[in-house]
């Protein structure tokens, strides 16, 4: 396979703290080569103000969280948030702010949600990509480069992308769900998946998880299931 055509079509790859299997990515791009390519884990629904999310979106069955006295005690400290919004923020605190006081972390993230909502001037984001990694074609890269001074650059990077791409005609969306792009397999992470022959990008790598990387074959050995 000659990767040059693919590399021209996909001239920007963003991948932070992720394992990326480049041969698999090039194969995926080969069939989708377009200057308007936008490839990643596509998200269709994203409230910018997620503080009012439904509890049933994050807790199944809903009654489990509705009847959780400890959870309700914590979330009752934040009357401006729904129980669902509070649960979502607590999950983020657990994943990204381990060791920080729970109530303090929730308050910080609630303040950030309110700030971002006002900044974007919208209650919801256009179609966007999870921040685990994405690929853009030349036309989109040129658009971002030419307009970088006028694009929104504060708030969550993945949400920003939704607003950046919204005004563009004929974006060639390629969704890498289904085990191609995913978080490292671990319980409690919404976007985790087990590693399979499909795994092209694996996000949330750390020093311990990189021990499963074989430098001889460039393959990543990781669990086949996200179950704990």
């Amino acid at each position: 396979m000659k990767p040059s055509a693919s590399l021209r079509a996909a001239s920007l790859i963003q991948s932070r703290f992720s394992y990326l299997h480049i041969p698999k990515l090039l194969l995926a791009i080969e069939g989708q080569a377009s200057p308007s390519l936008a490839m990643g884990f596509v998200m269709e629904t994203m409230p910018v103000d997620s503080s009012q999310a439904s509890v049933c979106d994050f807790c199944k069955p809903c009654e489990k969280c509705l009847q959780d006295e400890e959870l309700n005690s914590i979330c009752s400290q934040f009357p401006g948030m729904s129980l669902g919004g509070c649960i979502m923020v607590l999950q983020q605190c657990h994943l990204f702010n381990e060791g920080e006081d729970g109530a303090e972390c929730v308050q910080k993230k609630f303040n950030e949600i309110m700030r971002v909502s006002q900044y974007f001037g919208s209650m919801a984001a256009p179609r966007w990509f999870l921040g685990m990694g994405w690929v853009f074609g030349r036309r989109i890269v040129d658009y971002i480069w030419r307009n970088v001074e006028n694009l929104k650059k504060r708030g969550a990077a993945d949400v920003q992308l939704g607003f950046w791409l919204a005004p563009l005609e004929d974006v060639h969306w390629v969704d890498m769900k289904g085990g191609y792009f995913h978080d490292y397999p671990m319980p409690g992470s919404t976007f985790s998946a087990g590693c399979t022959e499909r795994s092209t990008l694996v996000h949330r790598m750390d020093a311990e998880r990189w021990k499963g990387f074989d430098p001889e074959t460039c393959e990543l050995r990781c669990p086949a299931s996200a179950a704990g």
Side-chain angles (χ1 to χ4, degrees):
M1 181 184 71
K2 296 181 179 180
S4 57
S6 297
L7 291 173
R8 287 196 299 270
S11 52
L12 176 64
I13 300 176
Q14 185 274 352
S15 180
R16 187 183 182 196
F17 305 126
S18 296
Y19 160 81
L20 179 64
H21 193 293
I22 293 177
K24 290 181 182 178
L25 180 66
L26 292 177
L27 284 172
I29 293 170
E30 275 297 313
Q32 305 288 348
S34 166
S36 298
L37 176 67
M39 172 184 282
F41 193 116
V42 176
M43 298 293 288
E44 296 285 353
T45 57
M46 173 64 177
V48 175
D49 179 3
S50 54
S51 65
Q52 302 306 312
S54 169
V55 63
C56 295
D57 291 338
F58 299 95
C59 187
K60 299 184 185 303
C62 307
E63 291 73 17
K64 179 181 178 181
C65 290
L66 290 171
Q67 297 171 5
D68 188 320
E69 293 184 4
E70 182 179 0
L71 178 63
N72 280 271
S73 176
I74 294 172
C75 292
S76 66
Q77 301 174 56
F78 308 98
M81 302 179 73
S82 68
L83 181 59
C86 180
I87 293 171
M88 182 204 69
V89 170
L90 282 170
Q91 289 178 349
Q92 293 177 351
C93 288
H94 176 71
L95 285 172
F96 306 121
N97 302 81
E98 189 174 355
E100 187 173 342
D101 177 74
E104 182 179 346
C105 179
V106 170
Q107 185 64 63
K108 285 181 180 178
K109 291 191 178 294
F110 179 45
N111 293 342
E112 178 64 11
I113 288 171
M114 294 297 97
R115 187 191 68 78
V116 169
S117 178
Q118 293 175 8
Y119 171 66
F120 284 113
S122 174
M123 294 299 291
R127 179 184 287 189
W128 56 290
F129 292 122
L130 283 179
M132 58 179 63
W134 51 80
V135 181
F136 291 152
R138 170 60 64 183
R139 173 173 170 257
I140 294 177
V141 173
D142 285 346
Y143 165 78
I144 293 173
W145 171 69
R146 292 177 186 278
N147 294 280
V148 65
E149 295 301 324
N150 297 309
L151 295 173
K152 291 182 177 296
K153 294 181 281 290
R154 298 195 299 273
D158 38 16
V159 175
Q160 289 175 35
L161 282 179
F163 288 94
W164 290 4
L165 299 178
L168 284 173
E169 291 279 9
D170 301 322
V171 174
H172 180 51
W173 298 91
V174 177
D175 194 351
M176 297 300 281
K177 291 191 188 78
Y180 296 97
F181 285 14
H182 59 84
D183 283 352
Y184 190 91
M186 56 181 173
S189 175
T190 304
F191 306 108
S192 281
C195 290
T196 69
E197 70 281 354
R198 291 184 173 187
S199 297
T200 305
L201 184 152
V202 181
H203 188 41
R204 305 206 184 287
M205 297 293 292
D206 58 24
E208 185 63 29
R209 292 166 183 173
W210 275 112
K211 292 178 181 178
F213 174 69
D214 185 343
E216 295 296 324
T217 64
C218 293
E219 297 289 340
L220 178 67
R221 296 185 299 271
C222 62
S225 170

